[in-house]
Structures are given as structure tokens and as C-alpha cells.
Amino acid sequence: MKTTLAITPGEGWPPLSEVLEILAFRGGFNTSLVVAGTTLLGLAAGLIGVFALLRKRSLMTDALAHATLPGIGLAFLAATSLGFEGRSLPVLLAGAATSGVLGVLAIQALLRYTRLREDAAIGIVLSVFFGAGVVVLSYVQNPANVRASPAGLNHFIYGQTAALQPYDVAIMGAITLGAILATSLFLKEFALVCFNDAFAKVDGWPVSMIDLLMMALVVVVTVAGLQAVGLILVVAMLIIPPVTARLWTDRLRTLLIIAAIVGAASGYFGSVVSALLPRKPAGSVIVLTSGAIFAVSLVVAPSRGVVAGVIKRARLGLRIAGDHLLEEAHERAASSLSADTVREIARLRGWSAPIARGVCFWLSRAGFARRDSNGGIEVTERGSARGARVSRNHALWEQYLISYADVAPSHVDWSVDQVEHVLSDELIDDLERALAKRGVILPPAGTPT
Amino acid sequence: MSAFSLSLDLFPLLAAVFAAVSCAVLGNFLVLRRLSLMGDAISHSVLPGLVIAFIITGSRNPLPMFVGAALAGIGTVVLVELIKRLGRVEPGAAMGVVFSVLFALGVLLIEQVTRGVDLDADCVLHGQLESLWWPGAPDTIAGLFTAEALHDIPRQVTTLAITCTAACAFVAIFFKELRIASFDPALATTQGFHAGVMHYALMVLVAGATVASFEAVGSILVIAMLICPAATARLLTDRLSVQVLCSVLIAIVTAVTGYFGASVAPAFFGASSVSAAGMIAVTAGALVATAALFSPRHGLIARVLRRRKLARAVALDDLLANLYRAAESDTGATPAVSTATLPARSRTVIPRAARDGLISVSDGAISLTPKGELAATEIVRRHRLWESYLVERAGLATDHVHEPAERLEHVPIAPPPGPRQDPHGRSIPQEPDSLQ
């Protein structure tokens, strides 16, 4: 691994001024180039990766990236034997793209004509193509076989960010622009095929053409990323930003924007860190940066995050427990529950003391009850109305299960105890109507207290 | 230069065979449980485990390396599961996130610790099969079994031999459990052993096989060997025990062929030898392709032939039935049909039908022979019985039954006889036996 961008020769953190310079693209021409190149690549990969994720092709891109290796070696061989400069980038990348596409076609053929599943097909293509690449490289690298020097072909495996040239960055810019353009032009078509390709086909869209275009974009971005981060880690740039963005939103446009931002930010910070600290290969740092963003998102994302999930569940638990308490008060026809009664209910419900206190606190905060001085609660007007409603829901659902679902009366209480809290108003109306039609006597509406 | 020399080829070949067999035998269960890519993920993500073990112990002692890699392997499985569940992320993407981040971490860590240490990412990918040569090799085969010769065996080969034995023993001892856990995890759990435990045991062994094979053959060969032999065997057989044995055999053949393919084959073209690990992976792929094409039951060619045979049988049935119907409507005057009026599909089977004595051909017109009439009666009988069955029992409309009956008539099963007329009012012929 020689891909380090050691600006500072010693160990330890560089001075702040230098950090700021590099962050602001003023840390020398080469460094700025690298930072710009990886940022652009991150942006394009994040954007295009969204479609790969939605088409459930994340790991197919892995196979695609690995399958580029033999193409690189063979393109070099073909070019040198024809008397051209074998290491010219367009030639190598054309070879890479060709064998990458062949790999994807091989996966499709295995899926279509054999009984192997997708995972096996991807694994076979990935390892066999890469093995073939290793064979070709080992052949090319032996001076007895090929006279032209193949130095640098190896870099496509791990990438060589530091070696980016102005020309490469210009190409990356063009690719990024193309990716943004294609995405904004064909957003509707891509979304249609990603979410419901069967419908798209019935509706007369050229589904396979649209699919092909999406795949082509993935190929172009992968091949562009080979040089910068290498074929093993380019996959991460296609997978991680979209998966991260998916944690934050359910809307496609937002998803695309967040994925592009996460990708660009990882590319930017990754290459800056790599430029500032010795022996930090840019590719790895970029991937680790996006990995860190993913880990943080997994914890804090508003709807799918772990913290949000815990809070949501705790809230629901408190609400249900509070409802049970109100229901209990309603059924005892009591306007207040003493501390002993609350403890008794808590014991029967299996709540620990802190949970019972939490429930009382929640009730008082929500205005359903007031806590009195010795640990009991006094149910407010709103609280008793709610208790009555929960109790009625319970009775309604119980009746429904007995009359319609043929559940034995002795078995309904437990399941009803959980459902009564989530019945919607519409459902209750339906239940009332259905049960009334059957001649079931309904518990009276309104508050009996 | 001879094709095989004890000092140069014996240990690399042994290492390749051991690695191939230990991966292949475990790979069967990965392929069955659609976890092939877990092998891929693990073989990428054991890298940080290896490096951390190296940092802690400061040596390349195999035991800590093995523990580090096994922990990283299990960590991968757990992390993938966690991300899948907590973030509701699609399994493939979850795997991609975990292994690429761990691999990046491994590459970064290697960069921090390796100065003058021969632990580098390239070696992890390609392995160093060719470096396992044996300087003190004896001259004769008999000399192999002396104490000093055995003492010389490289550490990697011993490790691989142990791993191979362990993997084979695990699969042999827990075959029943593995089988039931692969096909029906819930049943396995109700039978009293936890399918999850089996799963993790398998993953530990995969991680073990990966790390043992690592330095000798490289991670790419590990992935190829975990998936390809098992996939090849899966294309050849439907029995799990046969599949496992086949995969082992295929692994051995692959390793040996690939190894010599790398050293011997290029010499024919005047080139020097190429990467053996890469060549073994290519051989494995070639075997998958061969099985996909030529497997007697599931192969592409066998299936195409089967389909053509079926198409011909259907065309023959249709020809006979058409002739029967023509004779039926023709009030017996000339029961011969001009071949020009037949559909192209039926025309192609005329020579065969004539050879089998089912029809007679004269002047471009064909008619049924007595033998052909018997066969045709049976087909038309089945067709009309199916039509009345579909109307009476399956509740289809009269004008919707011809198409399905047209398909069902070729299956040698008829609905119970009874009705004398089909829904269109045509008479249903009696069974050929009672005709005579």
C-alpha cells in the first residue's frame, strides 16, 4: 500500500492552519485535486447507488467491481501487443467496463439458466473473474512475458488516490454531471422501475432499457472509482451512502439528495484526513468516514434509528399502561385511586415500582389525572372519559371476537387487552354497526361516572 | 523441467487441496442457505481481526491470529444481523456495509503496523502459494516419511491439514443437524437443538477455514472454493449427502488441475507460470460452467433436449388428434388429409409417425393406420373427458375448456369415464380396449 498522502512527515496532528488550508482547497494543487476528485466521486456514487439499493443490486455492484480486474489486465496486454501505450487510462477503463459488464451478464445467465440462487451466482462471478484477473496480472507482471512495464495495474485493486491527475478529476466531474443529469431527467422512469417494474411493463414503459441505463450508470461510476479508491472499496461508496440516507427518509428525492451529500462528505473528509495524517490510505478513510456516518445515523435517525425506536416503544408502553390504569378506575367507578390500589394494579399487571411511578407521571403530564400527596392519583374529567372509552373499546372488541371470530369467551380477554389501545375511530364505528346489526347488546357510550 | 518436483510443488499442492476441501465441505451449507455471500463478507472482514491479533501479540503466531479472525467472523455475522434488524436494511446491503467497512479498517490498520512485516493486503488477496516450497525435500518418495522430512512441513500446511480435518469432522458428525437446520430451522429447533447455534458454529468454521487458507492461498481462492464446488455439485445432484461428497471431489480436482494449469500450461505457450491461486479460481469457474451446460438433469443442454422431446411428442399427439377429427367430420368418404393443410409443427413429425406405423402417406395425403387410430382415439378421448370434467367439476364455461384440455390431453392421466358426450355435443370415444 503506497497510497499515502504524507504531507506532514512526522507523526501526530498537523497544525490547525494546515487543516484549514486543506479543508478550503488551498493545501497545494495536488491535494486540492485529490480532495475534489474524491468529493465528486462520492457524490456520483451516492446518487447512483440509490438505484442499485432500490433494485436490490447492492452486492451485484460488488461482483461488477471485482469483475473489472481481468479486463484491465487484458486491455493492457492487447494494447501493448498492438504497439500502443498499455497504461493509457481510457484503454484500461474500457477494458474494465467491458469485463465488468460481462460479469453482470454472467450473473444474469446463471440466474436464468441454472437453479443457482442469486447469492451463489454473485459469489461465483466475483471470485472467478477476480481469480482470472489475478492470473492475467501475474502473467503481465512477469518481464519474461511482456516487455512493457505494467507498473500501476495493481493500483486498481486498492486504488491510488494520490496519483489523481487534473485529467482524471475532469473526467470525474463530467461523470458526476452526467449522473446528476441522468437522474434528474429520468427520475420518474427510474422510480417507476425501482418500485414497481411489473406495473411499468404493463403501462408500456421500456423497462429493460431503463434498467439497462441504471446499470450503465453504475458501471460508469464503478469504473471511475477504480482508480481513486480501488475495486474493493468502490462498492462501499455505492452501498453505504444510500443505506445511510434510507435511515433518514422515505421519500425518493430526499433519499437521493441525502445519499449524494453523505457520499460527497465522506469523499471530502476522507481525502482531507488522508492528506493531513501520515499512512492513512484515502480509500480506507473515505469508507470508514461513511461507515461512521452510517453508524451514527443508525442510532439517531428520526424514524428508523435505534433511539427513536426505543423512545417510540417506551411512549407506547406508557400510554397503554396509563390507559389500563384509567380503565381500572372507570370499572371501579372511582374518581381516584389510592397509592395502595395503584400498587395492587401494578402487581397484577407486572409493572415494577419505577414503571408504576412513570405511568402516574405520564398521566398527570397528559392531564388525565392529578397525583395526590400520598402517591395515589385523582382522575380528571378527561381521564375518566378516556377510561370509559378504553373500557368500551375492550368490550366492543371482545364482543366482536366472540360473535365473528369464534373465539371462546374465556380466551378473548388477553388478546383484547392489547388491541383495545390501537382501535381507530373508524374501526369502532364499523364494530358498533356490525355488532348492532347482529343484535349484540353494546355497552353504553359516554361516561357513566 | 519436469512437471512435478517434490521440493517445489508438494507443499503448495497439499496446501491448495486442503484449503479447497475445507472450504468446499462447509460451502455446501452456505449455498443451500443462500448465505454464499456471507462467506465473501467473512473473508473480507477477518482482515481487521487478523491485524488486531497481530498488534496485540506482536507475532504471527497462528493461534491468536485464528482467534482474532474467528471473532471478526462472528462479529460480521452479528453486525449484519443487527443492522438488518435495527435499521430494517435489505440483507445484501447490510452485508455490503459491514464487510466493506471492516475491510477498510483492516487496510488502514495494516498500514499503521507493517513496517518490514510481511503482512500486507496484497498477500491477503492473492496468497503466497508458490512460496511454500520445500528446500530440504528428499530425493525419493520413500524419503518422505522419515522424521526429519516430516519435521520440515511448513506451518501453513499443518494448519490447513488440521482445519481440513476439523471441517470434514464437523460436517460428518453434525450432518443430520446441519441438514435439518438448513432446510427447516424451525423444525430443527423443535427437535431440541438450536438452529441458531448450528448457524454460528458453521460461521466460526467458515471464519476458521478462511483464516487458515488466507496466507497460503489468499481470500479470493477462499471465496471461490466456498461457493464454486458446492454450486457445481448442486447442479449435478439432488441428494445432500451426494452433493457434499461431490463437492469434495470437485474441490480436489479443481485444486490439482488449477495448480498444474498455472505452472505447466503456460509453458506450452512459452510463457512463465502464472498465479496458482488465480488459476484454481478460474478452474472452479470453468467447472461451474461445465456443470451448468452438461449436467444430466439440471444442465442447460439436457433441459433443451428434454423440452424438444416433449414438443415433438405434443406435436405428434396433435397430428394424430387432427387426423382423427378429420375422419370424424368426413363421414367416412376419404379419411386422408392433405399435408399442405397441416400446421408446420405437425408436418415435422410426419416422417416419425410414418416410421412408427401410426400413419400412412400417399401422394401428399396422410391417413391413420389402425395402430394410429387406436392412439388417436385415446388422445381425443382424454381431450373430451377433460373438457366435460372441466365444465362439470371445475365450473368452467363451455367456451373456455378447449385450451386447458388441449394441454391436459398430453398427460397420460384421464378423468374418470362416464359422460358419453363432451360439452360441445361430440361423442366421447370408448376406451380403445373396449373398441376391439
Side-chain angles (χ1 to χ4, degrees):
Chain A
M1 293 295 306
K2 293 113 199 148
T3 62
T4 330
L5 242 189
I7 300 290
T8 45
E11 304 274 340
W13 284 91
L16 187 65
S17 59
E18 194 185 322
V19 176
L20 289 177
E21 262 174 19
I22 291 182
L23 281 172
F25 289 93
R26 284 194 313 214
F29 183 64
N30 276 332
T31 316
S32 301
L33 260 187
V34 170
V35 174
T38 52
T39 309
L40 285 172
L41 175 67
L43 201 157
L47 204 59
I48 297 307
V50 168
F51 300 114
L53 175 74
L54 292 178
R55 286 295 272 163
K56 298 198 165 53
R57 286 206 182 116
S58 298
L59 287 175
M60 209 178 280
T61 59
D62 190 24
L64 163 69
H66 278 80
T68 55
L69 192 62
I72 295 170
L74 288 175
F76 173 81
L77 238 139
T80 41
S81 64
L82 290 173
F84 296 111
E85 165 57 47
R87 274 183 295 168
S88 103
L89 195 61
V91 170
L92 295 182
L93 292 188
T98 312
S99 72
V101 169
L102 280 179
V104 172
L105 291 179
I107 293 177
Q108 305 288 11
L110 281 175
L111 285 179
R112 174 133 189 230
Y113 296 116
T114 74
R115 59 174 181 161
L116 295 175
R117 307 282 184 192
E118 192 174 31
D119 62 313
I122 290 177
I124 289 169
V125 166
L126 183 152
S127 57
V128 171
F129 273 70
F130 195 81
V134 170
V135 168
V136 175
L137 284 196
S138 71
Y139 175 82
V140 169
Q141 276 162 351
N142 193 324
N145 298 328
V146 180
R147 254 172 305 157
S149 159
L153 289 193
N154 261 346
H155 292 312
F156 288 101
I157 299 179
Y158 291 104
Q160 197 185 25
T161 321
L164 286 181
Q165 299 297 313
Y167 174 65
D168 305 330
V169 177
I171 288 186
M172 251 167 224
I175 287 175
T176 312
L177 208 66
I180 294 174
L181 220 67
T183 308
S184 40
L185 276 179
F186 297 110
L187 184 60
K188 186 181 64 186
E189 286 79 2
F190 288 172
L192 190 60
V193 171
C194 283
F195 289 110
N196 197 343
D197 53 354
F199 170 74
K201 203 170 271 171
V202 172
D203 210 32
W205 292 94
V207 172
S208 36
M209 284 303 290
I210 297 170
D211 212 21
L212 211 65
L213 180 59
M214 281 195 277
M215 211 55 216
L217 286 170
V218 172
V219 171
V220 168
V221 172
T222 308
V223 170
L226 287 182
Q227 214 205 348
V229 294
L231 57 86
I232 299 179
L233 292 181
V234 71
V235 179
M237 301 192 74
L238 280 160
I239 298 180
I240 300 178
V243 173
T244 309
R246 192 71 191 83
L247 295 171
W248 289 92
T249 177
D250 288 333
R251 300 199 56 84
L252 182 62
R253 271 167 211 280
T254 329
L255 185 69
L256 286 164
I257 293 169
I258 298 178
I261 292 173
V262 171
S266 324
Y268 177 69
F269 284 114
S271 53
V272 166
V273 169
S274 159
L276 287 170
L277 298 176
R279 291 193 284 128
K280 299 280 179 290
S284 303
V285 183
I286 292 171
V287 174
L288 287 173
T289 311
S290 59
I293 300 177
F294 170 77
V296 172
S297 304
L298 188 62
V299 176
V300 304
S303 76
R304 291 184 170 218
V306 176
V307 173
V310 169
I311 291 176
K312 224 186 288 173
R313 228 166 307 146
R315 236 191 226 152
L316 182 67
L318 275 182
R319 210 192 79 199
I320 289 178
D323 281 356
H324 279 142
L325 219 53
L326 294 175
E327 189 185 1
E328 197 71 35
H330 171 78
E331 272 157 23
R332 287 167 191 239
S335 63
S336 66
L337 295 172
S338 71
D340 284 341
T341 320
V342 171
R343 254 199 298 281
E344 174 65 14
I345 295 169
R347 197 180 60 79
L348 289 174
R349 290 268 171 200
W351 305 334
S352 64
I355 292 182
R357 270 200 300 280
V359 173
C360 293
F361 173 73
W362 183 79
L363 282 177
S364 70
R365 245 203 57 190
F368 291 126
R370 275 184 293 276
R371 282 191 289 180
D372 59 27
S373 50
N374 39 16
I377 54 168
E378 195 182 320
V379 181
T380 62
E381 194 108 333
R382 276 181 64 210
S384 67
R386 192 178 170 96
R389 210 172 68 223
V390 173
S391 171
R392 186 159 186 277
N393 285 357
H394 186 110
L396 275 177
W397 193 247
E398 218 168 60
Q399 280 303 331
Y400 171 78
L401 285 187
I402 294 168
S403 341
Y404 282 90
D406 289 332
V407 180
S410 58
H411 278 56
V412 290
D413 189 59
W414 169 241
S415 61
V416 171
D417 218 28
Q418 297 165 45
V419 173
E420 66 191 17
H421 311 282
V422 291
L423 297 179
S424 66
D425 289 342
E426 291 87 0
L427 188 60
I428 289 171
D429 285 349
D430 281 355
L431 282 177
E432 279 169 349
R433 239 172 293 134
L435 291 169
K437 217 180 201 170
R438 267 220 163 182
V440 178
I441 298 157
L442 298 175
T447 49
T449 36
Chain B
M1 196 177 98
S2 83
F4 185 82
S5 96
L6 269 186
S7 76
L8 284 181
D9 293 326
L10 179 66
F11 284 140
L13 190 59
L14 275 181
V17 169
F18 284 144
V21 171
S22 32
C23 290
V25 80
L26 298 172
N28 281 294
F29 301 96
L30 292 182
V31 169
L32 264 191
R33 303 187 54 187
R34 306 190 192 179
L35 288 172
S36 310
L37 292 170
M38 203 52 117
D40 175 24
I42 288 179
S43 60
H44 279 88
S45 58
V46 292
L47 188 60
L50 282 177
V51 186
I52 290 171
F54 176 79
I55 293 174
I56 292 174
T57 61
S59 76
R60 290 182 50 159
N61 193 337
L63 194 65
M65 295 282 243
F66 179 83
V67 173
L71 286 180
I74 296 188
T76 312
V77 180
V78 173
L79 274 178
V80 169
E81 203 52 46
L82 215 64
I83 289 179
K84 233 165 43 182
R85 204 128 33 93
L86 290 181
R88 278 171 286 164
V89 174
E90 187 224 328
M95 231 181 262
V97 171
V98 173
F99 85 75
S100 56
V101 168
L102 286 178
F103 189 78
L105 183 68
V107 171
L108 192 72
L109 285 174
I110 282 188
E111 202 63 21
Q112 310 313 303
V113 294
T114 55
R115 278 206 174 140
V117 180
D118 53 343
L119 184 78
D120 71 275
D122 267 341
C123 137
V124 164
L125 273 185
H126 315 148
Q128 298 171 312
L129 204 50
E130 290 85 350
S131 71
L132 290 176
W133 65 293
W134 190 8
D139 301 327
T140 60
I141 299 290
L144 268 181
F145 300 101
T146 59
E148 58 267 37
L150 292 177
H151 186 72
D152 260 4
I153 296 178
R155 180 177 50 75
Q156 291 96 322
V157 177
T158 334
T159 316
L160 274 171
I162 296 170
T163 314
C164 183
T165 319
C168 292
F170 173 75
V171 170
I173 294 170
F174 293 109
F175 183 74
K176 189 174 50 147
E177 285 82 358
L178 279 169
R179 181 172 56 189
I180 198 169
S182 305
F183 286 110
D184 195 342
L187 176 66
T189 307
T190 60
Q191 296 281 311
F193 60 91
H194 206 283
V197 173
M198 244 27 235
H199 175 65
Y200 280 102
L202 184 66
M203 291 303 155
V204 169
L205 276 164
V206 169
T210 305
V211 68
S213 316
F214 240 44
E215 27 177 351
V217 300
S219 68
I220 282 308
L221 186 50
V222 172
I223 301 170
M225 281 302 149
L226 277 172
I227 305 172
C228 293
T232 312
R234 174 118 179 81
L235 292 173
L236 294 176
T237 172
D238 288 334
R239 290 197 65 82
L240 184 59
S241 49
V242 181
Q243 183 191 315
V244 171
L245 292 177
C246 265
S247 70
V248 170
L249 213 67
I250 292 166
I252 295 173
V253 170
T254 309
V256 175
T257 318
Y259 184 81
F260 287 111
S263 60
V264 179
F268 283 115
F269 308 103
S272 66
S273 60
V274 293
S275 158
M279 206 59 183
I280 295 175
V282 172
T283 312
L287 286 180
V288 175
T290 312
L293 284 178
F294 300 108
S295 160
R297 180 187 261 179
H298 300 290
L300 187 59
I301 290 176
R303 269 190 306 171
V304 167
L305 289 180
R306 259 204 311 274
R307 214 170 301 154
R308 276 184 50 183
K309 202 174 149 200
L310 182 66
R312 284 240 295 281
V314 168
L316 181 63
D317 280 1
D318 287 348
L319 173 69
L320 295 180
N322 272 340
L323 290 175
Y324 181 95
R325 290 195 182 98
E328 203 176 34
S329 60
D330 223 26
T331 61
T334 45
V337 172
S338 159
T339 52
T341 61
L342 290 170
R345 207 161 51 99
S346 297
R347 275 206 296 270
T348 55
V349 287
I350 289 174
R352 186 179 143 202
R355 208 169 50 239
D356 291 351
L358 293 169
I359 56 172
S360 57
V361 187
S362 59
D363 300 336
I366 52 176
S367 55
L368 289 169
T369 62
K371 185 182 168 197
E373 195 167 323
L374 223 63
T377 310
E378 176 58 23
I379 295 157
V380 172
R381 191 177 101 85
R382 278 207 295 256
H383 180 92
R384 291 180 183 168
L385 277 176
W386 273 119
E387 281 188 339
S388 44
Y389 178 87
L390 287 173
V391 169
E392 282 162 24
R393 303 291 177 88
L396 260 64
T398 324
D399 53 351
H400 276 59
V401 292
H402 177 72
E403 283 301 318
E406 195 65 10
R407 290 160 172 272
L408 288 166
E409 69 183 13
H410 305 293
V411 183
I413 300 169
R420 312 198 57 87
Q421 281 199 331
D422 73 5
H424 310 295
R426 293 192 196 89
S427 75
I428 297 176
Q430 293 308 297
E431 252 184 282
D433 283 345
S434 56
L435 275 178
Q436 292 171 332

